[in-house]
Structure formats: C-alpha cells, structure tokens
Amino acid sequence: MSSAHHPRFRAFTPRDLDGLLRRVPLTDDQRLALRAVSSVLPFRTNAYVVDELIDWSAVPEDPVFRLTFPQAGMLPPPDVRRMADLLAGDAPRAEIQRAAHEIRMRLNPHPSGQLDANVPVHEGQRLTGLQHKYPETVLVFPRQGQTCHAYCTYCFRWPQFVGEADLRIATDDIAATGSYLRAHPEVASILVTGGDPLVMSTEVLRRYVEPLLRIDTVRSIRIGTKSLAFWPYRFTTDRDADDLLRLFEEVVASGRHLALMAHFTHPQELRPPVVREAMRRVRDSGAVIRCQGPLVAGINDSADAWAELWEETTTLGAVPYYQFVERDTGPQGYFGVPLARGHAIFRDAYARVSGLARTVRGPVMSAMPGKVCVDGVAEVAGEKVFALHLIQARDPDLVGRPFFAAYDEGATWFTDLKPAFGASRFLPGLEAG
Ligand SMILES: *Cc1c(COP(=O)(O)O)cnc(C)c1O
Ligand code: SF4
C-alpha cells in the first residue's frame, strides 16, 4: 500500500476489532456477534477513519461507524449464532473458514453475473481482469488495486476482500489490455477500478494508466476511488502524492478527460479540512471529481444527508454523478432500501439543491440489462406504476426509452419488478428479470 509509510497510517483488521469496540458500551455477547460477522464479511479500517471521521459520542448510530464496523443484522441470526459459537469455543481455524465459506456462498457473491457475463474474450483468451458490458466503456481491475483503505460494510465487491480466490476479478496483463483496446476502437472510456486503485503506489498505477495514453481511441480515463473519504492524505502528504497529481496532469495534457469517480457516502466524510485540501489539489491537476455512492439503510437514508452531500460536493467543485441502489448481494437485506422509499428520498433531496447539483442521476440499479433509473411513481390509466428508463444498456437501442413496472412498495431490485398493464415484457428486447 502506498500509504503504509505515512506517519498517521495505521490499519485495523479483524484482530483489532475487539479492542476498538471497547470504546463503545457493548455487552460481551454483542461484541462477540460483531466478531462473528467480521469472520464472514470483510472488516478493515484505519486511524484516519477512526480518529477523524467517526463521532464516537454518537456510536453506534454514527453513520461512519456503521459504514465501516460490522453490525449483527448484516447476517441472518442463525449464521451469526453459528459463527459466534465457533469463535467462543475456540474452534480450529479450518472449521471457522469452512463455515464462513458456506455462509458466503449463500450471499449471492456475484450478482448480475459479475464473474462471467461481462468478461471479454480476446484471441481465444478470457481477460478476467476486464469487464466490457457497455460498448463504449471498459472496466479494468488492476491486480494490486483490489483492496481499500477501509472497507464499507455494504460493499457489493466484498468477495474481492475475503481471500476466496475463485471469487476475485483482477488483471496484471497490461499488454493484453492494450491489445484488446486496439482491437475495439469503440471503447472510448476506461474505468480503472477495484477495490480502490489508489491503494496502489503511483509507480504501479502509472504502469496501468500510461499505456492507455498511447491508444488514440481512448478519450477518457476514470479512476474509481474512495480515497478522498477514507485516506485523503493520498493526495496531500503521502510520499508519492505529488507524483500522483503529476500523473493526473499527464493524462489531462494528453487531451483526455480524467475523472476521479469519488465514492462518498455521507456529508460527515467532507468535514475534515484535509479532504477539502485534497479535492483542491485534484482539481488543480485538471482532473474532474465526480461523486457517487449508494443509498443505504441506517447510514444515509434521509433526504437531509443527500441534499447536504450533493450541495457540499458541488460547492467544493465536484460534480454529483450517480446515486446507486444497494445491490442484491451480501448484506443487502440489512442495508437495502425499497425502490419506492429510495426514490422518495432522492426526489426530496433533488428538489432542494441548486441546478448545479442536479447533475446527479438516480436511484440507479446496475442490473443485468444495464443501469436502470427509477424516474418516479405515477398513476397511468388507473394503475399505480414505477416509471423507469435505462441510462446504460448492453443493447444501446434500449437506452433512454421510458418503461413501466407495476408499483410494489417492497421491491428492492430490478428482478422484483413486473411489467405494468399486464404486459409480458417491459420493452421489446427488455424482459422482466
Ligand atoms: C456503470 C458502469 C459503467 C459506466 O457507465 P456510465 O454510464 O458511462 O457511467 C461501465 N461499465 C459497467 C459494468 C458499469 O456498471
Ligand atoms: S471503497 Fe468501494 S470497493 Fe472498497 S469497500 Fe467501499 S464500496 Fe467496496
């Protein structure tokens, strides 16, 4: 990790969980339950998150605490009990691992066919560290970037972090990536993602980014990151922070659009002065910061939180991009917000912010056919319906065409929706999930 030498750097792993939780008034059983959850789902945080972002006087309700610390409700009670019994009984490591693996396999680790559906094949070889779902954009998962400065409890990429080799997506075959992109001139945008690619040193990141600058058809490069929220020193006082900004400048000087796709969850993440300094430095490099994040129960499921997040990021010169719906994987049952309520929160927040912040789209589901946006609830021909459209689709012909689903107050994902008006499909070419 590029930040490991930083004087403020200290990573906390499941081994440290018990000690950290002693700051909170919890019973032994409650602490054991949280350790049980962290033996199945990833846990990692750091001194910056613990000391600067979490308001310990507000724990356990504090949103950033809930963003990074396990909660008992994240797994079904029988699974928590089973893992707690194993931990309390000092069961052998192998037995704990086996039980954890079994539970993970029941949590839909790769929703929407993540592992297979979007992997491109080039010259007879599957490029397992790439995803190519929409014609104009390719996702690159650098091998060294498949971890994060801290882990979000609601993360949909959680299988990347639990040491289950078969569940991982990653590449270090930079030559094959270049060769694929040369054979696919329709790809104009590259999204380098993870994990968080900015856990990599600038030197390693450069190995992935610089070759892209020699491919004329690549017009924009995005870097998906939560480092502004979880480790803003990456852009200020990390040893290679200046070098990172120089790399950004090189991309911009090549005539390309460089977007830092910054994951923010709650306005509390914007409070420390170092975040603002980091955002100023990124903008000075010529990169654009675009903000996105999911709507999650118990953390940011209020219009106040979103209105403040969008207004504040806009004030800091960033551009609100997507508000996501929590995916149907891992602890979705705990963090998911029904689409109807999610849209009400989105609309309420959207109505309060200036037009400059209304660049945001949402709530958006990254589902099998594409990015489905919930536009609202309406009554059409006497039937209560959801109005939706695809912002992105495997089949570009489906983009931007309104369609309707029967209203369902409890629906949390695309696959819960049925076409309205008794129709057999949403659109020609778009079936119910
Ligand atoms: C969201 C996403 C993209 C990028 O879509 P944009 O609308 O261009 O932001 C590309 N590929 C996949 C798989 C995605 O989920
Ligand atoms: S930063 Fe992104 S990839 Fe990393 S844990 Fe959070 S949601 Fe997952």
PDB file of all heavy atoms in Angstrom, residues 295 301 303 306 310 323-325 336-349 362-363 374 386 409 411:
ATOM      1  N   LEU A 295     -27.362   4.426  -1.756  1.00  0.00           N
ATOM      2  CA  LEU A 295     -28.314   4.774  -0.700  1.00  0.00           C
ATOM      3  C   LEU A 295     -28.428   3.553   0.219  1.00  0.00           C
ATOM      4  O   LEU A 295     -28.784   2.467  -0.248  1.00  0.00           O
ATOM      5  CB  LEU A 295     -29.659   5.080  -1.365  1.00  0.00           C
ATOM      6  CG  LEU A 295     -30.893   5.290  -0.508  1.00  0.00           C
ATOM      7  CD1 LEU A 295     -30.701   6.494   0.409  1.00  0.00           C
ATOM      8  CD2 LEU A 295     -32.108   5.537  -1.404  1.00  0.00           C
ATOM      9  N   ASP A 301     -30.001   7.081   4.626  1.00  0.00           N
ATOM     10  CA  ASP A 301     -31.351   7.003   4.057  1.00  0.00           C
ATOM     11  C   ASP A 301     -32.207   8.167   4.522  1.00  0.00           C
ATOM     12  O   ASP A 301     -33.259   8.001   5.122  1.00  0.00           O
ATOM     13  CB  ASP A 301     -32.016   5.645   4.367  1.00  0.00           C
ATOM     14  CG  ASP A 301     -32.031   5.280   5.844  1.00  0.00           C
ATOM     15  OD1 ASP A 301     -31.201   5.833   6.601  1.00  0.00           O
ATOM     16  OD2 ASP A 301     -32.867   4.451   6.238  1.00  0.00           O
ATOM     17  N   ALA A 303     -33.256  12.425   3.126  1.00  0.00           N
ATOM     18  CA  ALA A 303     -33.076  13.488   2.132  1.00  0.00           C
ATOM     19  C   ALA A 303     -32.082  14.522   2.646  1.00  0.00           C
ATOM     20  O   ALA A 303     -31.321  15.105   1.863  1.00  0.00           O
ATOM     21  CB  ALA A 303     -34.424  14.124   1.812  1.00  0.00           C
ATOM     22  N   TRP A 306     -28.496  13.441   1.742  1.00  0.00           N
ATOM     23  CA  TRP A 306     -28.165  13.548   0.317  1.00  0.00           C
ATOM     24  C   TRP A 306     -28.122  14.989  -0.150  1.00  0.00           C
ATOM     25  O   TRP A 306     -27.253  15.360  -0.947  1.00  0.00           O
ATOM     26  CB  TRP A 306     -29.143  12.715  -0.513  1.00  0.00           C
ATOM     27  CG  TRP A 306     -28.817  11.260  -0.391  1.00  0.00           C
ATOM     28  CD1 TRP A 306     -29.408  10.363   0.453  1.00  0.00           C
ATOM     29  CD2 TRP A 306     -27.769  10.554  -1.071  1.00  0.00           C
ATOM     30  NE1 TRP A 306     -28.803   9.138   0.324  1.00  0.00           N
ATOM     31  CE2 TRP A 306     -27.800   9.221  -0.604  1.00  0.00           C
ATOM     32  CE3 TRP A 306     -26.816  10.910  -2.026  1.00  0.00           C
ATOM     33  CZ2 TRP A 306     -26.903   8.241  -1.077  1.00  0.00           C
ATOM     34  CZ3 TRP A 306     -25.937   9.942  -2.490  1.00  0.00           C
ATOM     35  CH2 TRP A 306     -25.981   8.626  -2.013  1.00  0.00           C
ATOM     36  N   TRP A 310     -24.762  16.459  -1.817  1.00  0.00           N
ATOM     37  CA  TRP A 310     -24.696  16.993  -3.186  1.00  0.00           C
ATOM     38  C   TRP A 310     -24.354  18.484  -3.185  1.00  0.00           C
ATOM     39  O   TRP A 310     -23.566  18.942  -4.010  1.00  0.00           O
ATOM     40  CB  TRP A 310     -26.033  16.772  -3.911  1.00  0.00           C
ATOM     41  CG  TRP A 310     -26.356  15.325  -4.153  1.00  0.00           C
ATOM     42  CD1 TRP A 310     -25.449  14.295  -4.263  1.00  0.00           C
ATOM     43  CD2 TRP A 310     -27.655  14.743  -4.301  1.00  0.00           C
ATOM     44  NE1 TRP A 310     -26.118  13.118  -4.477  1.00  0.00           N
ATOM     45  CE2 TRP A 310     -27.471  13.350  -4.514  1.00  0.00           C
ATOM     46  CE3 TRP A 310     -28.959  15.247  -4.288  1.00  0.00           C
ATOM     47  CZ2 TRP A 310     -28.533  12.466  -4.716  1.00  0.00           C
ATOM     48  CZ3 TRP A 310     -30.015  14.368  -4.489  1.00  0.00           C
ATOM     49  CH2 TRP A 310     -29.816  12.995  -4.696  1.00  0.00           C
ATOM     50  N   GLN A 323     -26.551   8.191  -7.857  1.00  0.00           N
ATOM     51  CA  GLN A 323     -26.927   7.627  -6.560  1.00  0.00           C
ATOM     52  C   GLN A 323     -27.381   6.203  -6.841  1.00  0.00           C
ATOM     53  O   GLN A 323     -28.341   5.987  -7.594  1.00  0.00           O
ATOM     54  CB  GLN A 323     -28.080   8.408  -5.914  1.00  0.00           C
ATOM     55  CG  GLN A 323     -28.449   7.855  -4.531  1.00  0.00           C
ATOM     56  CD  GLN A 323     -29.888   8.172  -4.131  1.00  0.00           C
ATOM     57  OE1 GLN A 323     -30.851   7.806  -4.808  1.00  0.00           O
ATOM     58  NE2 GLN A 323     -30.033   8.887  -3.040  1.00  0.00           N
ATOM     59  N   PHE A 324     -26.665   5.231  -6.268  1.00  0.00           N
ATOM     60  CA  PHE A 324     -26.931   3.826  -6.568  1.00  0.00           C
ATOM     61  C   PHE A 324     -27.928   3.209  -5.592  1.00  0.00           C
ATOM     62  O   PHE A 324     -28.027   3.621  -4.438  1.00  0.00           O
ATOM     63  CB  PHE A 324     -25.638   3.010  -6.498  1.00  0.00           C
ATOM     64  CG  PHE A 324     -24.673   3.326  -7.599  1.00  0.00           C
ATOM     65  CD1 PHE A 324     -23.459   3.937  -7.331  1.00  0.00           C
ATOM     66  CD2 PHE A 324     -24.977   3.021  -8.923  1.00  0.00           C
ATOM     67  CE1 PHE A 324     -22.566   4.226  -8.347  1.00  0.00           C
ATOM     68  CE2 PHE A 324     -24.090   3.310  -9.945  1.00  0.00           C
ATOM     69  CZ  PHE A 324     -22.878   3.918  -9.657  1.00  0.00           C
ATOM     70  N   VAL A 325     -28.589   2.160  -6.106  1.00  0.00           N
ATOM     71  CA  VAL A 325     -29.403   1.298  -5.252  1.00  0.00           C
ATOM     72  C   VAL A 325     -28.480   0.175  -4.784  1.00  0.00           C
ATOM     73  O   VAL A 325     -27.708  -0.368  -5.592  1.00  0.00           O
ATOM     74  CB  VAL A 325     -30.583   0.706  -6.061  1.00  0.00           C
ATOM     75  CG1 VAL A 325     -31.395  -0.272  -5.202  1.00  0.00           C
ATOM     76  CG2 VAL A 325     -31.464   1.814  -6.613  1.00  0.00           C
ATOM     77  N   GLY A 336     -30.392  -2.641   2.276  1.00  0.00           N
ATOM     78  CA  GLY A 336     -31.212  -2.252   1.144  1.00  0.00           C
ATOM     79  C   GLY A 336     -32.369  -1.334   1.535  1.00  0.00           C
ATOM     80  O   GLY A 336     -32.919  -1.456   2.628  1.00  0.00           O
ATOM     81  N   VAL A 337     -32.700  -0.411   0.648  1.00  0.00           N
ATOM     82  CA  VAL A 337     -33.845   0.479   0.838  1.00  0.00           C
ATOM     83  C   VAL A 337     -34.805   0.176  -0.312  1.00  0.00           C
ATOM     84  O   VAL A 337     -34.381   0.159  -1.469  1.00  0.00           O
ATOM     85  CB  VAL A 337     -33.394   1.958   0.779  1.00  0.00           C
ATOM     86  CG1 VAL A 337     -34.586   2.901   0.891  1.00  0.00           C
ATOM     87  CG2 VAL A 337     -32.361   2.254   1.862  1.00  0.00           C
ATOM     88  N   PRO A 338     -36.098  -0.072  -0.042  1.00  0.00           N
ATOM     89  CA  PRO A 338     -37.027  -0.342  -1.150  1.00  0.00           C
ATOM     90  C   PRO A 338     -37.001   0.789  -2.183  1.00  0.00           C
ATOM     91  O   PRO A 338     -36.791   1.957  -1.834  1.00  0.00           O
ATOM     92  CB  PRO A 338     -38.385  -0.428  -0.448  1.00  0.00           C
ATOM     93  CG  PRO A 338     -38.073  -0.814   0.963  1.00  0.00           C
ATOM     94  CD  PRO A 338     -36.742  -0.155   1.270  1.00  0.00           C
ATOM     95  N   LEU A 339     -37.221   0.414  -3.449  1.00  0.00           N
ATOM     96  CA  LEU A 339     -37.130   1.400  -4.536  1.00  0.00           C
ATOM     97  C   LEU A 339     -38.073   2.577  -4.324  1.00  0.00           C
ATOM     98  O   LEU A 339     -37.720   3.724  -4.605  1.00  0.00           O
ATOM     99  CB  LEU A 339     -37.448   0.722  -5.877  1.00  0.00           C
ATOM    100  CG  LEU A 339     -36.542  -0.446  -6.261  1.00  0.00           C
ATOM    101  CD1 LEU A 339     -37.043  -1.098  -7.548  1.00  0.00           C
ATOM    102  CD2 LEU A 339     -35.104   0.030  -6.408  1.00  0.00           C
ATOM    103  N   ALA A 340     -39.287   2.293  -3.815  1.00  0.00           N
ATOM    104  CA  ALA A 340     -40.277   3.366  -3.646  1.00  0.00           C
ATOM    105  C   ALA A 340     -39.763   4.386  -2.627  1.00  0.00           C
ATOM    106  O   ALA A 340     -39.796   5.600  -2.865  1.00  0.00           O
ATOM    107  CB  ALA A 340     -41.609   2.782  -3.198  1.00  0.00           C
ATOM    108  N   ARG A 341     -39.255   3.892  -1.510  1.00  0.00           N
ATOM    109  CA  ARG A 341     -38.750   4.804  -0.490  1.00  0.00           C
ATOM    110  C   ARG A 341     -37.465   5.478  -0.972  1.00  0.00           C
ATOM    111  O   ARG A 341     -37.236   6.667  -0.737  1.00  0.00           O
ATOM    112  CB  ARG A 341     -38.503   4.024   0.811  1.00  0.00           C
ATOM    113  CG  ARG A 341     -38.011   4.885   1.914  1.00  0.00           C
ATOM    114  CD  ARG A 341     -38.174   4.308   3.314  1.00  0.00           C
ATOM    115  NE  ARG A 341     -37.508   5.229   4.208  1.00  0.00           N
ATOM    116  CZ  ARG A 341     -36.274   5.034   4.687  1.00  0.00           C
ATOM    117  NH1 ARG A 341     -35.601   3.926   4.420  1.00  0.00           N
ATOM    118  NH2 ARG A 341     -35.715   5.964   5.447  1.00  0.00           N
ATOM    119  N   GLY A 342     -36.625   4.728  -1.659  1.00  0.00           N
ATOM    120  CA  GLY A 342     -35.386   5.287  -2.206  1.00  0.00           C
ATOM    121  C   GLY A 342     -35.667   6.432  -3.158  1.00  0.00           C
ATOM    122  O   GLY A 342     -35.032   7.489  -3.079  1.00  0.00           O
ATOM    123  N   HIS A 343     -36.643   6.237  -4.028  1.00  0.00           N
ATOM    124  CA  HIS A 343     -36.958   7.318  -4.955  1.00  0.00           C
ATOM    125  C   HIS A 343     -37.512   8.541  -4.219  1.00  0.00           C
ATOM    126  O   HIS A 343     -37.198   9.682  -4.573  1.00  0.00           O
ATOM    127  CB  HIS A 343     -37.939   6.889  -6.053  1.00  0.00           C
ATOM    128  CG  HIS A 343     -38.220   8.022  -6.984  1.00  0.00           C
ATOM    129  ND1 HIS A 343     -39.272   8.886  -6.798  1.00  0.00           N
ATOM    130  CD2 HIS A 343     -37.512   8.495  -8.021  1.00  0.00           C
ATOM    131  CE1 HIS A 343     -39.199   9.834  -7.718  1.00  0.00           C
ATOM    132  NE2 HIS A 343     -38.150   9.615  -8.475  1.00  0.00           N
ATOM    133  N   ALA A 344     -38.312   8.310  -3.187  1.00  0.00           N
ATOM    134  CA  ALA A 344     -38.866   9.449  -2.428  1.00  0.00           C
ATOM    135  C   ALA A 344     -37.728  10.257  -1.792  1.00  0.00           C
ATOM    136  O   ALA A 344     -37.746  11.499  -1.796  1.00  0.00           O
ATOM    137  CB  ALA A 344     -39.847   8.934  -1.366  1.00  0.00           C
ATOM    138  N   ILE A 345     -36.721   9.557  -1.260  1.00  0.00           N
ATOM    139  CA  ILE A 345     -35.575  10.249  -0.664  1.00  0.00           C
ATOM    140  C   ILE A 345     -34.804  11.019  -1.734  1.00  0.00           C
ATOM    141  O   ILE A 345     -34.447  12.191  -1.562  1.00  0.00           O
ATOM    142  CB  ILE A 345     -34.657   9.231   0.058  1.00  0.00           C
ATOM    143  CG1 ILE A 345     -35.370   8.669   1.294  1.00  0.00           C
ATOM    144  CG2 ILE A 345     -33.314   9.854   0.426  1.00  0.00           C
ATOM    145  CD1 ILE A 345     -34.689   7.460   1.925  1.00  0.00           C
ATOM    146  N   PHE A 346     -34.564  10.351  -2.861  1.00  0.00           N
ATOM    147  CA  PHE A 346     -33.847  11.009  -3.953  1.00  0.00           C
ATOM    148  C   PHE A 346     -34.566  12.286  -4.389  1.00  0.00           C
ATOM    149  O   PHE A 346     -33.977  13.359  -4.485  1.00  0.00           O
ATOM    150  CB  PHE A 346     -33.724  10.052  -5.156  1.00  0.00           C
ATOM    151  CG  PHE A 346     -33.045  10.667  -6.347  1.00  0.00           C
ATOM    152  CD1 PHE A 346     -31.676  10.566  -6.518  1.00  0.00           C
ATOM    153  CD2 PHE A 346     -33.777  11.385  -7.295  1.00  0.00           C
ATOM    154  CE1 PHE A 346     -31.041  11.156  -7.604  1.00  0.00           C
ATOM    155  CE2 PHE A 346     -33.148  11.986  -8.378  1.00  0.00           C
ATOM    156  CZ  PHE A 346     -31.785  11.865  -8.537  1.00  0.00           C
ATOM    157  N   ARG A 347     -35.866  12.162  -4.632  1.00  0.00           N
ATOM    158  CA  ARG A 347     -36.642  13.291  -5.157  1.00  0.00           C
ATOM    159  C   ARG A 347     -36.659  14.460  -4.185  1.00  0.00           C
ATOM    160  O   ARG A 347     -36.499  15.612  -4.557  1.00  0.00           O
ATOM    161  CB  ARG A 347     -38.081  12.826  -5.447  1.00  0.00           C
ATOM    162  CG  ARG A 347     -38.840  13.623  -6.486  1.00  0.00           C
ATOM    163  CD  ARG A 347     -40.321  13.662  -6.172  1.00  0.00           C
ATOM    164  NE  ARG A 347     -40.525  14.330  -4.894  1.00  0.00           N
ATOM    165  CZ  ARG A 347     -40.610  15.652  -4.751  1.00  0.00           C
ATOM    166  NH1 ARG A 347     -40.530  16.443  -5.798  1.00  0.00           N
ATOM    167  NH2 ARG A 347     -40.770  16.177  -3.549  1.00  0.00           N
ATOM    168  N   ASP A 348     -36.827  14.125  -2.918  1.00  0.00           N
ATOM    169  CA  ASP A 348     -36.892  15.146  -1.878  1.00  0.00           C
ATOM    170  C   ASP A 348     -35.563  15.914  -1.805  1.00  0.00           C
ATOM    171  O   ASP A 348     -35.543  17.146  -1.733  1.00  0.00           O
ATOM    172  CB  ASP A 348     -37.211  14.423  -0.547  1.00  0.00           C
ATOM    173  CG  ASP A 348     -37.626  15.382   0.538  1.00  0.00           C
ATOM    174  OD1 ASP A 348     -37.672  16.605   0.283  1.00  0.00           O
ATOM    175  OD2 ASP A 348     -37.890  14.899   1.665  1.00  0.00           O
ATOM    176  N   ALA A 349     -34.454  15.175  -1.881  1.00  0.00           N
ATOM    177  CA  ALA A 349     -33.134  15.831  -1.824  1.00  0.00           C
ATOM    178  C   ALA A 349     -32.882  16.637  -3.098  1.00  0.00           C
ATOM    179  O   ALA A 349     -32.412  17.774  -3.061  1.00  0.00           O
ATOM    180  CB  ALA A 349     -32.040  14.782  -1.630  1.00  0.00           C
ATOM    181  N   GLY A 362     -30.464   9.142 -10.457  1.00  0.00           N
ATOM    182  CA  GLY A 362     -30.732   8.081  -9.507  1.00  0.00           C
ATOM    183  C   GLY A 362     -32.202   8.025  -9.148  1.00  0.00           C
ATOM    184  O   GLY A 362     -32.981   8.817  -9.658  1.00  0.00           O
ATOM    185  N   PRO A 363     -32.551   7.091  -8.283  1.00  0.00           N
ATOM    186  CA  PRO A 363     -31.711   5.965  -7.861  1.00  0.00           C
ATOM    187  C   PRO A 363     -31.481   4.997  -9.030  1.00  0.00           C
ATOM    188  O   PRO A 363     -32.412   4.726  -9.781  1.00  0.00           O
ATOM    189  CB  PRO A 363     -32.528   5.299  -6.752  1.00  0.00           C
ATOM    190  CG  PRO A 363     -33.834   6.035  -6.648  1.00  0.00           C
ATOM    191  CD  PRO A 363     -33.886   7.103  -7.661  1.00  0.00           C
ATOM    192  N   VAL A 374     -34.798   4.699 -11.641  1.00  0.00           N
ATOM    193  CA  VAL A 374     -36.189   4.839 -11.201  1.00  0.00           C
ATOM    194  C   VAL A 374     -36.555   6.319 -11.328  1.00  0.00           C
ATOM    195  O   VAL A 374     -36.036   7.160 -10.592  1.00  0.00           O
ATOM    196  CB  VAL A 374     -36.369   4.378  -9.741  1.00  0.00           C
ATOM    197  CG1 VAL A 374     -37.830   4.485  -9.320  1.00  0.00           C
ATOM    198  CG2 VAL A 374     -35.851   2.956  -9.546  1.00  0.00           C
ATOM    199  N   PHE A 386     -44.290   2.296 -11.448  1.00  0.00           N
ATOM    200  CA  PHE A 386     -42.970   2.935 -11.462  1.00  0.00           C
ATOM    201  C   PHE A 386     -42.664   3.314 -12.900  1.00  0.00           C
ATOM    202  O   PHE A 386     -42.847   2.489 -13.813  1.00  0.00           O
ATOM    203  CB  PHE A 386     -41.864   1.957 -11.052  1.00  0.00           C
ATOM    204  CG  PHE A 386     -41.811   1.633  -9.588  1.00  0.00           C
ATOM    205  CD1 PHE A 386     -42.046   0.330  -9.140  1.00  0.00           C
ATOM    206  CD2 PHE A 386     -41.466   2.610  -8.655  1.00  0.00           C
ATOM    207  CE1 PHE A 386     -41.963   0.012  -7.796  1.00  0.00           C
ATOM    208  CE2 PHE A 386     -41.381   2.302  -7.301  1.00  0.00           C
ATOM    209  CZ  PHE A 386     -41.634   1.007  -6.877  1.00  0.00           C
ATOM    210  N   GLU A 409     -44.478  -1.670  -3.299  1.00  0.00           N
ATOM    211  CA  GLU A 409     -43.854  -0.878  -2.235  1.00  0.00           C
ATOM    212  C   GLU A 409     -42.604  -1.543  -1.674  1.00  0.00           C
ATOM    213  O   GLU A 409     -41.679  -0.875  -1.232  1.00  0.00           O
ATOM    214  CB  GLU A 409     -44.885  -0.656  -1.110  1.00  0.00           C
ATOM    215  CG  GLU A 409     -44.425   0.386  -0.126  1.00  0.00           C
ATOM    216  CD  GLU A 409     -45.453   0.642   0.984  1.00  0.00           C
ATOM    217  OE1 GLU A 409     -46.660   0.484   0.721  1.00  0.00           O
ATOM    218  OE2 GLU A 409     -45.010   0.983   2.090  1.00  0.00           O
ATOM    219  N   ALA A 411     -40.508  -3.719  -3.334  1.00  0.00           N
ATOM    220  CA  ALA A 411     -39.480  -4.132  -4.297  1.00  0.00           C
ATOM    221  C   ALA A 411     -38.160  -3.438  -3.977  1.00  0.00           C
ATOM    222  O   ALA A 411     -38.125  -2.227  -3.743  1.00  0.00           O
ATOM    223  CB  ALA A 411     -39.934  -3.795  -5.715  1.00  0.00           C
TER     224      ALA A 411
END
